[in-house]
Amino acid sequence: MRDIIGDAMTETSFAGRVSRWYEQHARDLPWRRPEVSPWAILVSEVMLQQTPVVRVVPAWQAWLERWPTPAALAGSSPAEAIRMWGRLGYPRRAVRLHECATAIVERHGGAVPDRLEHLLALPGVGTYTARAVAAFAYGQRHPVVDTNVRRVVCRAVAGEPDAGPTTRPADLVAAEELLPAEPAAAALASAAIMELGAVVCTARSPRCDACPVESTCAWRASGRPAPAGPTRRPQRYAGTDRQVRGLLLGVLREATGPVPHQRLDQVWADDVQRARALAGLVTDGLVEPVGETSFRLIGDGPPAPVAG
């Protein structure tokens, strides 16, 4: 890693200082180890979306132990993927990951593709995930931009306190301008900037005294102004349709066959909200009806008979 930093970028550049800091302070996360496969990195990137690292690590390890390759996952049912996903949240990711594995087997012989356009064409793989896999699995030069990266770039370069809720094309351009030309060094810098935003340049409690670019940070120089708009509050969970969906899925995950409607009725007292949540699970491709009175996880058994 020192050779990459020394040969491809100066230690006084933004990327050089952040990469040197990363070399010394990066968290020891299992998907960052050199022996990890591109498939394992892809799985980690999908799991890490909107889920804390501490919850992802054991789930990632269990997932890769069971399905170490795309072909292994594609050979199982989507219902098993949903069961294995457990309570990581946003379970559509499990179904999309199963669809992604199937596409990798069908289109690429079971190997995660290394070309950005092929990664972008996979089910459930968007702008961020495709670039993350290309950079972190294959050492390519692409701007890998998530919330943490946008925050670092917005503060350090533009002097603004908040980058906004969504990634824009301009964010990709701004991040790419900070990357060194050499692909391996650029991939390292992408990981380093992301780590800096995750553990130092955080949204609520930035630790500027620990930041390797504090001396040139435009936001720090301007007195660390607060965001102009209202502070975004964490989404409420209790009593929401998300909670009801989770309870319904919990029953269906534990079942070994179709679950009668009467059993699902016991999950939540509000008939209207429960019916809405169940209908949403069906629409999202997580659950399917069996006949007129039962439900099961998608693909959990032979195709349901068609009435007629």
Side-chain angles (χ1 to χ4, degrees), residues 39-63:
W39 168 244
I41 291 173
L42 172 57
V43 172
S44 75
E45 291 297 340
V46 173
M47 288 187 169
L48 286 165
Q49 295 168 17
Q50 299 179 295
T51 305
V53 167
V54 68
R55 294 181 58 202
V56 168
V57 171
W60 178 85
Q61 291 170 331
W63 187 281

Side-chain angles (χ1 to χ4, degrees), residues 241-301:
D241 284 5
R242 279 187 60 210
Q243 182 184 17
V244 183
R245 285 165 59 101
L247 294 171
L248 291 167
L249 270 184
V251 173
L252 292 161
R253 276 198 308 266
E254 296 297 325
T256 57
V259 177
H261 211 305
Q262 294 88 338
R263 171 66 184 90
L264 296 175
D265 289 347
Q266 300 173 20
V267 166
W268 196 256
D270 187 325
D271 293 342
V272 174
Q273 187 177 21
R274 185 182 64 251
R276 183 173 63 240
L278 184 57
L281 292 173
V282 173
T283 300
D284 288 347
L286 293 164
V287 173
E288 60 186 2
V290 181
E292 297 182 358
T293 60
S294 299
F295 293 84
R296 67 185 180 192
L297 295 179
I298 190 75
D300 195 15

Side-chain angles (χ1 to χ4, degrees), residues 34-261:
E35 70 275 10
V36 170
S37 70
W39 168 244
I41 291 173
L42 172 57
V43 172
S44 75
E45 291 297 340
V46 173
M47 288 187 169
L48 286 165
Q49 295 168 17
Q50 299 179 295
T51 305
V53 167
V54 68
R55 294 181 58 202
V56 168
V57 171
W60 178 85
Q61 291 170 331
W63 187 281
L64 270 298
E65 182 176 346
R66 180 168 181 180
W67 295 308
T69 64
L73 176 57
S76 295
S77 70
E80 286 305 303
I82 296 170
R83 286 194 174 94
M84 197 69 181
W85 197 260
R87 298 187 178 277
L88 276 181
Y90 302 98
R92 284 190 68 186
R93 292 180 292 172
V95 176
R96 298 298 276 170
L97 197 49
H98 183 273
E99 293 171 351
C100 180
T102 302
I104 290 172
V105 171
E106 293 175 349
R107 303 174 194 172
H108 305 286
V112 175
D114 60 357
R115 292 175 58 178
L116 181 61
E117 61 267 31
H118 291 166
L119 288 164
L120 286 166
L122 295 173
V125 174
T127 297
Y128 165 78
T129 304
R131 285 168 170 77
V133 172
F136 303 149
Y138 294 112
Q140 298 176 9
R141 186 183 187 276
H142 296 287
V144 184
V145 179
D146 70 349
T147 299
N148 293 316
V149 172
R150 288 191 296 111
R151 186 187 314 113
V152 170
V153 175
C154 187
R155 287 176 175 174
V157 178
E160 300 292 336
D162 191 347
T166 58
T167 298
R168 303 162 299 171
D171 296 321
L172 295 173
V173 173
E176 186 169 14
E177 288 176 348
L178 297 174
L179 300 180
E182 202 280 320
L188 173 62
S190 290
I193 296 169
M194 188 176 300
E195 183 78 343
L196 185 68
V199 302
V200 173
C201 191
T202 60
R204 296 185 180 182
S205 303
R207 297 187 294 116
C208 294
D209 58 337
C211 179
V213 293
E214 177 194 12
S215 62
T216 58
C217 175
W219 183 60
R220 176 77 164 174
S222 62
R224 292 176 41 164
T231 302
R232 291 191 298 272
R233 297 179 179 179
Q235 293 182 343
R236 181 175 60 91
Y237 180 74
T240 63
D241 284 5
R242 279 187 60 210
Q243 182 184 17
V244 183
R245 285 165 59 101
L247 294 171
L248 291 167
L249 270 184
V251 173
L252 292 161
R253 276 198 308 266
E254 296 297 325
T256 57
V259 177
H261 211 305

